[in-house]
Amino acid sequence: MTAAGLIFANTHDKNIAEMTRLRTMASVPFGGRYRLIDFALSNMVNSDITKVGVITHYNYQSLLDHIGNGKDWDLARRSGGIKILPPYITMFDTTTPGVNRSRMDALKGAINFINRCSEEYIVMSDCDVICNIDLKAVLRAHEQSGADLTFVTTEMDAGSLYVQGTVPVVSVGEDGRVTDFAEMHITEGKVTISTNIMVATRTYLQSVVQEAASHGYTSFFKDVIAKSLQSANYRAYAYDGVFAKIGSMEGYFACSMALLDEETRRGIWGVPGRPILTKVRNSAPTKYCGDAKIVNSVVADGCVIEGTVENSILFRGVKVGKGTVVKNSILMQDTYTGENVLLNCVITDKNAMIKDGRMLSGCESMPFYIGKNGAI
């Protein structure tokens, strides 16, 4: 049983447009020292998937800088390894602004990668999902059932911040077969949704993409899945571990704040044999000065803290000035705060600067956001 991986880097960029203006969804920072793609990549590498294609669309310079040659995930290989798959555009193409408008368009652009794979199965994953899943178990279930496509599903409360807008709702029969699939708004009750992690038999995926190209299909779920429920063998694999899906800035903030719960952190980073890997940055340990006070916070390396940090997440290289109080906030890499600053429900992007004496506050449903290289 062999498998290759496909990761969709730009899918759902519009969900947090503030943070993806200059980067892909895949390279959005998360959890103190990680990027969102780290979870999809680590899940694959931990399951012995060593050939991974990353489908990109635009704004992927930050992603290239983060991935490099893939050595931090043990993917710097002559055979296999990680491949960046930019949009396929010919010199005669007049529809460039519309490339990769959907998942199906992205798969069409990646068909050469798929055709060159000799592996039996293709594992596909979005970058807006956070979980630590054993893909080996999913692949075994897929192989044993003889499925054409297996959806990894999870049960979520409709009132959750992670279930926003339209979500892929899956109906599953007693035998594990998918009986219905629809993207819809959910307002109440518990629902079984697709995590957008899927396993497909390679030959089936090839035939689907070729048929979509010949018929002009643009939607993977509406034009392929929904129309083939009776004829194809679609199965569901229930995942019951820690799972989050980032669908908005509010959802990003809530998901980040959930990391302050020890059980949640253990469900993501504490799974034996399945580490979450990321790019290594050799920074000095965090320096806590004499008046520093840290309460229930996640603090990465390379920080200098002279003030108070409560219920917050600090990325690498953050400077918290003397007399400054940071509460319920997320300060990304190399953020600088001056002295006597008060922050509450604030998200700062990389290299942000907050000058002395500033008082900034948002709320849980609308955090105050400072863009990359921004200064206040």
Side-chain angles (χ1 to χ4, degrees), residues 2 27 30 49 103 105 120 130 192 204 215 251 283 299 354 363:
T2 57
S27 51
F30 182 82
I49 298 173
R103 188 184 306 274
D105 285 341
E120 300 172 81
I130 297 164
T192 299
Y204 175 75
H215 288 84
S283 302
V299 181
I354 303 171
C363 64

Side-chain angles (χ1 to χ4, degrees), residues 192-243:
T192 299
I193 68 168
S194 169
T195 62
N196 285 337
I197 299 174
M198 297 167 277
V199 175
T201 302
R202 178 176 55 82
T203 52
Y204 175 75
L205 186 61
Q206 287 174 308
S207 65
V208 163
V209 176
Q210 290 168 358
E211 182 180 358
S214 62
H215 288 84
Y217 294 158
T218 58
S219 174
F220 182 73
F221 293 122
K222 293 179 181 178
D223 294 330
V224 176
I225 304 302
K227 293 180 179 180
S228 305
L229 285 171
Q230 301 302 320
S231 58
N233 184 7
Y234 297 149
R235 298 281 173 162
Y237 177 92
Y239 170 71
D240 59 0
V242 174
F243 174 82

